[in-house]
Amino acid sequence: MGQHRRALRTTAVGAVSVSLVAGAVLALAPSAQAAGSAVRYVDIAGDGGTVLKANVVTPAGADGTRRYPLIVLPTSWGFPQVEYLAQAQRLADSGYVVLSYNVRGFWQSGGDIDVAGPRDVADACEVIDWALANTPADAAHIGMAGVSYGAGISVLAAAHDPRVKAVASLSGWGDLIDSIYSGRTQHLQAAAVLDTVGTVTGRQSAESREVFSAFYSGDLSKEKDLVAWGKKRSPSTHADQLNRNGTAVMLAGSWGDTVFPPNQSAALYEKLTGPKRLEFRPGDHATAELPGLFGLPNDVWTDTRRWFDHYLRGADNGVDREQPVRLKSRTGGGYEGYPDWQSVNATRRKTALAGSTTIHTNVDSGADGGIVFLSSILDQVAQLPPVASIPLLPRRWAAVWQSEKYATTQRVRGTALLHTTVTPTAQSGTLVAYLYDVGPLGLGKLVGNAPYTFHGRTPGKPFGLDLELGSTAYDVPAGHRLALVVDTVDPLYMEHNPSGARLTFSSPADDPSYLSVPLREQ
């Protein structure tokens, strides 16, 4: 446990350092780019009169004789109000009024952190009201966008305010619970990063402190309340409102996002019935769009501008005629287009998981999901995901199944599914499943993973398990094979295995175990 806490501290300190350094650099770089343009720093009264620090960028030459489409940008978790100035300048240069504001509880804005709750949604509505009263913004053409925390607030605000006609969620979430508590398992490193950054750069409310405390404790008596708290803050809960409003929704994320994994964003996308777009790229949380915040060329922000140009300004730029689901493989190549998310997962290949295997719990086998942020960034820039030597994994603590060698490249696209039968020796337990691309020397590169925790099971009684692994796009070279590994300890997650417990995986004749992998047709 002590080693676990040290790892969390190291991860959290690194994340805070990155947040503070990025904030400081953003405070300088975009300001220079925006020099000479119509930038105003203002105070806006949010919900209950809470002061929100904001900046407004208007098109050059705006004299009040005409109205411009409005784009509102709430800041990311832990970032200052200048976060979007480089992109705001570009949007203003193309004819938008752009208002960015520091969300409540962070930096110089007042109030306490509401974690995308009702006060944050009310704040967004107040900001729109202020912009319509104090800028040349057009009430009939309003959009919202943001990165991470700002993305989630933007989608939630669009669900509650029909004035928002288009929204772009960049590294946002669809379901907060499925993001940091998927498989009833606490995503410990991700939560520690959010908690620490919020503590250093903001003011946590009593409610948010209580939520984090309950999350870390693993107290099942508080699980129902935690889930209800998270669902209220999840755009998926409000998808019907977005559909009624007819909001044009663009969702962009990264395959390796360790804070808001791609599965839950894809699930939100499937619920939407209005104009919509889904994009996934290599990278971790917010790393794909980060260069654009510094004014560098960036396809995420380019697509965001195209989205707004069409749905707020009526530009015939073809964005509505393109395949709405766009994926970029982690192993290279250009973008691939699909008509919907189901088409990504349409073609599947099953691998039987035969036999019976028993593993002991409480020991990390060496198969891990990596380190929050660092591992997926290495995968993004150098195609170096977390690795494990599959032949050397200790079978006492890891169950291992492997496919045959593939004669041709296998283009994994979508969500791999594990179906198996588990027999525990204790009422509670945690397991983590990993999918590896295994080369000729037995070195496995991580393709995807997912945790699963159970409670209230009868010791010795088997139960069926269906587990979705993290969605991805990854090409397995010819001559390689896929390996499924299951163990019980991973630094990314909280584990609930009693000391000395064991898990047995079997494949009954009437319910055989298998791994189902989605493949793009050759």
Side-chain angles (χ1 to χ4, degrees), residues 1-16 192 196:
M1 188 66 176
Q3 182 179 5
H4 209 73
R5 290 185 182 277
R6 286 194 297 273
L8 284 178
R9 284 197 297 269
T10 301
T11 302
V13 168
V16 172
T196 307

Side-chain angles (χ1 to χ4, degrees), residues 337-415:
Y338 299 82
D340 50 43
W341 181 247
Q342 284 139 336
S343 297
V344 179
N345 292 276
T347 303
R348 290 187 165 273
R349 181 170 185 169
K350 283 187 177 181
T351 299
L353 307 178
S356 178
T357 302
T358 298
I359 62 174
H360 294 249
T361 65
N362 308 115
V363 174
D364 189 339
S365 71
D368 287 326
I371 300 173
V372 64
F373 290 120
L374 177 61
S375 297
S376 292
I377 291 175
L378 286 174
D379 188 31
Q380 177 184 358
V381 301
Q383 295 185 14
L384 293 175
V387 298
S389 176
I390 305 304
L392 297 181
L393 289 176
R395 272 31 177 195
R396 178 180 176 86
W397 296 296
V400 180
W401 298 266
Q402 296 193 70
S403 72
E404 75 284 1
K405 288 184 179 179
Y406 296 117
T408 59
T409 298
Q410 304 294 296
R411 294 179 172 84
V412 179
R413 300 291 187 274
T415 311

Side-chain angles (χ1 to χ4, degrees), residues 410-428:
Q410 304 294 296
R411 294 179 172 84
V412 179
R413 300 291 187 274
T415 311
L417 305 173
L418 165 63
H419 174 75
T420 189
T421 296
V422 183
T423 305
T425 60
Q427 291 184 352
S428 297

Side-chain angles (χ1 to χ4, degrees), residues 72 132 223 259 326 429 437 471:
V72 175
L132 295 178
E223 182 182 43
V259 180
R326 293 175 57 78
D437 160 24
S471 300

Side-chain angles (χ1 to χ4, degrees), residues 36-51:
S37 63
V39 181
R40 285 191 292 151
Y41 292 87
V42 299
D43 290 349
I44 298 175
D47 184 50
T50 297
V51 174

